[in-house]
Amino acid sequence: MTEPLLTADAHLRREGVTEGAPRPVVDVAVGVLIGADGRFLLASRPEGKVYAGYWEFPGGKLEAGESVETALARELHEELGIRVDPAQVLRWREQLVDYPHALVRLHFCKLTQWQGELQTREGQALAWASLPVTVSPVLPGAVPVLRWLEEEAALG
């Protein structure tokens, strides 16, 4: 399911598409890792990256010719040291986010199975969270996921 454009400004307001020259869309595979206890994994963005210190769901950019599933498996291994079978990646939702630095299409995938122990290979902090989250600040692109998880929990 594709959600409407989310504009990430200082107030996290929902707005229309940014005026001006069109920008290329950067595709990003994002893993919503859900543990057996129902908690989900959040990671802080490491120093030196845009939005350093913000909390997000792990993942990264697709490389040329790469599928969402393959990119997510590669990124989770690079960032967290875990192995994911691309065939077991469940695409969940998409969200287009207009950040000041880039127009990003986030491909959110739910994962309940992976192999290996979590490692912080990029110096990021990790937190197993439940709703409402207690870590902050949360990256604007991750905010809709928290709402979707809350909606699913309400449905039982």
Side-chain angles (χ1 to χ4, degrees):
M1 170 188 284
T2 302
E3 300 291 324
L5 176 75
L6 175 66
T7 302
D9 63 11
H11 305 288
L12 303 180
R13 296 175 306 183
R14 288 184 179 266
E15 298 179 356
V17 177
T18 305
E19 304 259 343
R23 298 183 294 160
V25 174
V26 177
D27 285 292
V28 174
V30 182
V32 180
L33 281 71
I34 301 175
D37 62 0
R39 294 184 304 159
F40 47 88
L41 184 70
L42 292 172
S44 65
R45 292 187 57 81
E47 290 301 319
K49 289 195 175 187
V50 176
Y51 287 99
Y54 278 70
W55 291 86
E56 66 178 350
F57 293 91
K61 296 177 194 171
L62 275 66
E63 293 180 355
E66 202 172 33
S67 71
V68 168
E69 295 82 0
T70 302
L72 185 58
R74 176 184 51 76
E75 286 286 345
L76 292 177
H77 186 258
E78 289 173 4
E79 291 179 15
L80 302 174
I82 60 174
R83 297 207 178 276
V84 171
D85 179 354
Q88 293 191 341
V89 171
L90 173 63
R91 287 196 199 197
W92 183 35
R93 305 237 182 150
E94 287 183 11
Q95 177 75 59
L96 190 62
V97 182
D98 189 3
Y99 287 105
H101 70 284
L103 185 58
V104 180
R105 181 181 301 115
L106 300 169
H107 300 269
F108 293 102
C109 304
K110 279 189 177 179
L111 295 167
T112 57
Q113 297 180 11
W114 55 88
Q115 294 80 42
E117 296 296 318
L118 293 171
Q119 304 167 31
T120 56
R121 292 184 163 182
E122 295 183 343
Q124 72 276 42
L126 301 177
W128 284 102
S130 57
L131 296 169
V133 296
T134 57
V135 295
S136 72
V138 175
L139 193 66
V143 171
V145 179
L146 302 175
R147 187 182 76 246
W148 301 331
L149 290 170
E150 187 173 40
E151 289 168 358
E152 285 187 359
L155 294 174

